[in-house]
Amino acid sequence: MAAALSPGKALAKYLAIRAALIVPTVLILVSVVFFFMRVTGDPITAAMGGRLPLERIEELKDAAGYNDPLLVQYGRFLLDTLQGNFGHTTDNRPISEILLTYGPATFELVFWALIVAFLVGIPLGRIAARRYNKGADVAIRSFAVLFYAAPVFFVALLLKLVFAVQLGWLPIAGRASIRVQSALEKIEPNSHIYIVNAIRSGNAEYIKDVLEHAVLPALALGLLTAGVFIRLVRINLLQTLRADFVTAARARGVKENAVVSKHAFRNALIPVVTVMGMQIAMMLGGAILTETSFEWQGLGYWLSQYLLKRDFVAVQGIVTAIAVIVAVASFLIDLINALIDPRVRY
Amino acid sequence: MSAEILAAQPLEPLPTPKRNRLPGAALLASTHGLQRMMLLIGVAIVALFIVIALFAPLIAPYGFAEITAYQSPPSAEHWLGTTVGGFDVYSRIIWGARTAIEVILLAVLLSIFVGVTLGVVSGFFAGPLDRVLVLLMDALYALPSLLLAIVVSIMVSQGQSGAFSGILSAAVSITVVFIPQYFRVIRNATLSAKAEPYVDAARVAGATSGRIMFGHILPNVSQTIPVLMTLNASEAILTLAGLGFLGFGIEPNSAAEWGYDLNKARADLASGYWWEAVFPGIAIVLIVAGVTLIGESLNDVLNPLLRTRGGVTTADELEVAEVAEVAGVVLPAADQVVEVTHDE
C-alpha cells in the first residue's frame, strides 16, 4: 500500500502505473476491433465482390496477405501500427493522411460543443441546486432529461429544420461554404482546423462563414453534453452544500452567495472534471452521429462511411486513433484530478 | 439453512422481507411531491409504450412494411403522413415501439446474465482471472459505446438481417456495451460481500463455491441491478436508434425501427417533408425520457447522500453510491470508500 511512501513518491508511482495502463487498454481495443472485423470477411471481397472473377479476387487477397493465417495477419497489423503505418483504404488513400486531415475537424467540433456544454450546463446546474425542488429546479431537470433523451441526430434534424430550412438563418450542413473551404484548405501551414485557418487568413468573411457553419453542430452535440453537466453539477453542489465545512462557513456568518460561490461551488466542480474522462468517449460517439447529420467531414463521418463500405483497414486505423485519444485523454484527466483533488487515493 | 438467515440480516435495511422483490410500492411510498410526480409520469409513459407494443397489430392502421401513399403530408387517412418509401409514419411508430421493447428486453436480460455472472465469479475468485477481466472490461468501457455496438452489429449480422436476426444482432451489440457496467458494479459488491461473516458461515457449513456465489452472495449484491437496468434501458433505445440512423440497424421490411426512419428522413428534410423526421424522433424522446425519469427518481430516492432522513445500512449506501458512480452522478470518493471498507 501507498502508506509506506511519502506523498510525492506515492503520487509519482500512481501516475506511472496509470500511464503504463494506457498500453494494454489500447492493445485490447485494437485487438478486439481487429478480430471482430476479420470475422466478417476481407476488405477486397467487400469492395470488389461480384465485379471481378473469383480467381482475380483470390490473387489480390494473396498479394495483400488476407489469405495468411489470422495470427500472422494480426502480428503484421500490430507491427505496422507500431511503426505508424496504418495502411491504405480500398480507394487507396493513406490512412495516416485521413487521420491528419479529418482528426482536426472532429477536434474542432468537440471544442465548440464543449464550449456550449460548459456555458449551458454549469450555470443551469448551479441554479437547479440552489433552487432545489422548486420550480426552477424542476424546469432545469426536465430540460436536462429531455436533452439526454433526445438522440443527438434528432436534435440535429430539428435544429436544421428550424434554423436552416424554415428561417434560413444558418447553413444546413458542412464545415464551410465551398468557396471558403477551398480557400481555407490552401492556407499554409494547413492546420485543417478551419477557425484557425480563417483567423490566420485575416479575412472576416471567412471567419463569419466558419462560425456560422459551426453553430448548429456545436449546439446539437453540446446540448447533449450539457444535459450531463447539469445533472452532475446539480447533484454535486447539493451534496457539497450539506457538507460540514459549508455549515461552518454559514455559522461564521458568511453570506449565502459567498458560501455557494467560494466554498461549495469549486469543490462541486471537481467531480465534473473526473467525469470528463468518460465524457470524451461519449462525445466521440456523439460526434459520429453529429458529423453524419451535418455532413461535417471529420473522423466520425468518415468512420461511418468506411464502415458502410466494409473497408476494415480504414476502420481499424480510425478506431486505433480513437482508442489512443480516449486512453490518453482519460489519463490526462486522472492526472489533473490527482493534482487538484486531495481525496484521490493512490 | 441457517447460513441463509444469517445472510439476509446485515444487508436488509427494513423489516419487510419482500422489499427487494417488489421495489415499486416501497419506492412510491418513499417519494413525495415533485419527485413522486416525475416517477409517476415516467411509469405512465413506459406503460403506454408497453401497451402499444403489445397491441401493435390492433392499433396500427397499416403494416410496418405496407406501401401506401408516397410522401403525403398528415391527413385523415394518414394521421402523421407517409414516408419517401411509401410507409405510413403513424403505423411505423406503433410497430417501432414493439421493436424497441423487444430489443431493450433482450439486451438488458442478456447483459445482466453475462455481466452479473462474470462479475460474481471474478469478484469471488479474484486472482489473475479477475485482473484480466477487469482490464478487458475497463478497455471495452473506454471505447465510445456506439462504435463498439456498430462493430459488433457488423460482426453478428454479417450484412444480412431478417426479422429476428436483425433484432437479435441489435440486442447483442447493445449487450456488449452494457456487460462492463454490470460487471464493474457486481464485481465490486462481491468483493466486499465475500468478506461478510455469512460467507464464512456457508463455507464452514460445507457449501460449494458455486452455491456460495449464486445462492448466498448474488442475492445480496443484486439490489443495485434495478437502478442500473433503468439507466441502461434508456441508453439501449438510444444505441438502437443510433445504429439505425447510421445504417447498421434492422432492415425496414423486417421490422419498424425509428432510427432507420430518421435516417431516411434526413435527405428529405431540406425539401420540407418534416413529418418523416419529427414524429419518430418524438417517439424516441418520449420513451427515453420515460425510462430516464424512472431511473432518476430511483437514484434520487436511493442516493443516501441526498436523503435527509437516515436509517439505511452502510452496505446499502455504498452499493447505491457505486451505481450512481457508474452512471456518472456521484463523488469520486464513493468508489474509494468501497475499497477502503473491504480493506478493513
Side-chain angles (χ1 to χ4, degrees):
Chain A
M1 282 300 288
L5 296 171
S6 70
K9 272 189 189 152
L11 177 65
K13 191 181 161 208
Y14 164 76
L15 291 178
I17 293 173
R18 187 63 193 72
L21 272 177
I22 294 177
V23 179
T25 306
V26 171
L27 184 70
I28 288 170
L29 289 180
V30 168
S31 311
V32 165
V33 173
F34 176 88
F35 288 110
F36 277 11
M37 297 306 279
R38 279 299 185 276
V39 171
T40 56
D42 66 281
I44 291 173
T45 315
M48 304 291 182
R51 278 192 281 162
L52 285 176
L54 226 55
E55 308 85 67
R56 182 73 189 115
I57 288 183
E58 282 304 312
E59 274 173 39
L60 282 174
K61 277 169 71 178
D62 271 336
Y66 291 119
N67 284 338
D68 294 343
L70 200 55
L71 280 178
V72 174
Q73 292 187 44
Y74 177 60
R76 196 165 48 216
F77 162 69
L78 283 185
L79 271 181
D80 282 352
T81 307
L82 265 182
Q83 291 161 356
N85 175 10
F86 292 98
H88 289 73
T89 63
T90 42
D91 46 7
N92 218 15
R93 295 175 69 185
I95 287 159
S96 45
E97 182 201 300
I98 288 181
L99 294 178
L100 291 178
T101 313
Y102 301 118
T106 300
F107 173 79
E108 194 174 6
L109 172 65
V110 170
F111 173 75
W112 292 128
L114 271 178
I115 291 183
V116 171
F118 276 117
L119 286 182
V120 175
I122 292 179
L124 285 187
R126 182 172 160 165
I127 296 170
R130 292 209 52 192
R131 314 281 307 154
Y132 180 58
N133 258 345
K134 304 244 170 58
D137 183 28
V138 175
I140 290 170
R141 289 181 77 189
S142 314
F143 173 85
V145 169
L146 265 185
F147 274 101
Y148 170 76
V152 60
F153 48 90
F154 178 55
V155 175
L157 288 178
L158 284 184
L159 287 172
K160 279 164 79 162
L161 192 63
V162 175
F163 294 102
V165 178
Q166 298 292 329
L167 298 171
W169 290 352
L170 292 162
I172 194 157
R175 292 178 65 197
S177 314
I178 297 172
R179 192 176 53 83
V180 176
Q181 187 155 9
S182 60
L184 289 177
E185 286 290 356
K186 285 197 193 93
I187 287 168
E188 288 298 332
N190 190 348
S191 66
H192 296 288
I193 300 174
Y194 281 5
I195 188 66
V196 172
N197 282 12
I199 290 170
R200 215 189 273 142
S201 76
N203 187 331
E205 187 206 333
Y206 291 174
I207 299 176
K208 182 167 168 278
D209 187 70
V210 168
L211 287 178
E212 277 177 355
H213 279 82
V215 173
L216 294 184
L219 276 177
L221 186 55
L223 287 177
L224 169 81
T225 317
V228 181
F229 280 9
I230 291 175
R231 290 157 57 146
L232 270 176
V233 171
R234 172 180 173 275
I235 210 152
N236 283 303
L237 190 54
L238 277 178
Q239 285 169 358
T240 317
L241 281 174
R242 289 181 186 174
D244 291 340
F245 71 91
V246 173
T247 316
R250 283 202 184 110
R252 288 200 305 275
V254 179
K255 290 219 174 62
E256 186 60 25
N257 268 333
V259 169
V260 174
S261 11
K262 292 220 171 112
H263 296 258
F265 191 55
R266 280 189 211 163
N267 280 298
L269 282 186
I270 292 175
V272 179
V273 178
T274 316
V275 176
M276 283 291 298
M278 276 189 242
Q279 287 307 303
I280 285 170
M282 198 188 101
M283 282 192 98
L284 284 175
I288 301 175
L289 294 167
T290 314
E291 288 179 5
T292 308
S293 303
F294 288 100
E295 281 145 54
W296 182 281
Q297 301 210 359
L299 279 188
Y301 174 84
W302 284 101
L303 180 67
S304 74
Q305 298 298 313
Y306 285 121
L307 275 163
L308 286 172
K309 286 194 217 161
R310 305 287 189 269
D311 187 337
F312 307 137
V313 185
V315 170
Q316 273 163 20
I318 297 175
V319 172
T320 305
I322 292 180
V324 172
I325 294 169
V326 170
V328 171
S330 77
F331 166 71
L332 289 179
I333 281 157
D334 279 1
L335 173 75
I336 296 171
N337 216 29
L339 294 178
I340 62 173
D341 188 352
R343 286 172 302 183
V344 171
R345 193 183 59 103
Y346 35 78
Chain B
M1 200 172 168
S2 65
E4 270 164 1
I5 298 164
L6 258 178
Q9 268 160 3
L11 287 164
E12 203 74 82
L14 294 172
T16 43
K18 290 279 178 198
R19 196 190 71 112
N20 291 332
R21 299 277 164 258
L22 253 180
L27 180 69
L28 193 62
S30 60
T31 57
H32 53 87
L34 293 165
Q35 223 170 38
R36 176 173 288 182
M37 214 172 74
M38 277 173 63
L39 180 64
L40 289 178
I41 292 175
V43 171
I45 293 175
V46 173
L48 175 73
F49 274 96
I50 291 175
V51 169
I52 290 177
L54 282 176
F55 300 105
L58 301 177
I59 303 172
Y62 302 93
F64 56 80
E66 190 178 333
I67 290 167
T68 54
Y70 291 96
Q71 287 180 320
S72 92
S75 65
E77 228 166 295
H78 301 284
W79 291 358
L80 307 179
T82 60
T83 70
V84 61
F87 302 133
D88 179 58
V89 174
Y90 176 63
S91 304
R92 294 270 304 170
I93 290 176
I94 304 288
W95 287 102
R98 179 170 267 208
T99 312
I101 300 229
E102 278 168 359
V103 172
I104 299 168
L105 274 182
L106 257 176
V108 169
L109 291 179
L110 276 175
S111 51
I112 288 180
F113 179 72
V114 181
V116 169
T117 311
L118 283 179
V120 171
V121 170
S122 184
F124 185 77
F125 288 114
L129 171 80
D130 179 51
R131 252 170 251 149
V132 170
L133 276 176
V134 168
L135 202 60
L136 180 69
M137 294 292 171
D138 277 359
L140 284 183
Y141 191 67
L143 202 66
S145 57
L146 185 65
L147 191 52
L148 188 61
I150 294 172
V151 172
V152 178
S153 88
I154 290 179
M155 187 185 74
V156 176
S157 70
Q158 304 262 335
Q160 19 157 327
S161 60
F164 182 68
S165 71
I167 288 173
L168 187 69
S169 78
V172 170
S173 339
I174 296 166
T175 300
V176 175
V177 171
F178 291 139
I179 287 174
Q181 302 187 13
Y182 289 101
F183 173 84
R184 277 165 61 135
V185 171
I186 296 296
R187 174 196 167 265
N188 286 353
T190 304
L191 270 183
S192 37
K194 78 171 182 181
E196 299 282 341
Y198 68 84
V199 173
D200 292 332
R203 206 174 267 139
V204 170
T208 59
S209 295
R211 197 182 159 81
I212 296 177
M213 276 190 285
F214 297 102
H216 298 264
I217 294 182
L218 184 60
N220 282 294
V221 296
S222 55
Q223 297 99 320
T224 50
I225 294 176
V227 183
L228 204 53
M229 229 169 69
T230 50
L231 293 169
N232 278 349
S234 55
E235 229 186 299
I237 307 164
L238 290 175
T239 311
L240 173 70
L243 283 175
F245 180 74
L246 289 174
F248 302 100
I250 300 162
E251 294 294 318
N253 40 11
S254 1
E257 202 273 301
W258 300 327
Y260 173 90
D261 292 348
L262 275 170
N263 179 23
K264 289 297 151 203
R266 186 165 58 102
D268 293 346
L269 201 68
S271 334
Y273 301 119
W274 54 273
W275 57 88
E276 290 179 37
V278 171
F279 297 119
I282 290 177
I284 302 177
V285 174
L286 263 182
I287 190 169
V288 178
V291 179
T292 310
L293 282 176
I294 299 179
E296 285 260 289
S297 323
L298 268 177
N299 214 10
D300 254 24
V301 172
L302 297 178
N303 188 345
L305 299 169
L306 279 184
R307 206 176 14 212
T308 31
R309 276 174 305 166
V312 172
T313 61
T314 327
D316 227 17
E317 288 183 8
L318 291 176
E319 274 158 15
V320 174
E322 269 174 80
V323 173
E325 193 236 333
V326 169
V329 218
V330 126
L331 283 169
D335 176 36
Q336 293 140 26
V337 178
V338 175
E339 305 248 323
V340 171
T341 348
H342 72 71
D343 276 352
E344 281 165 4

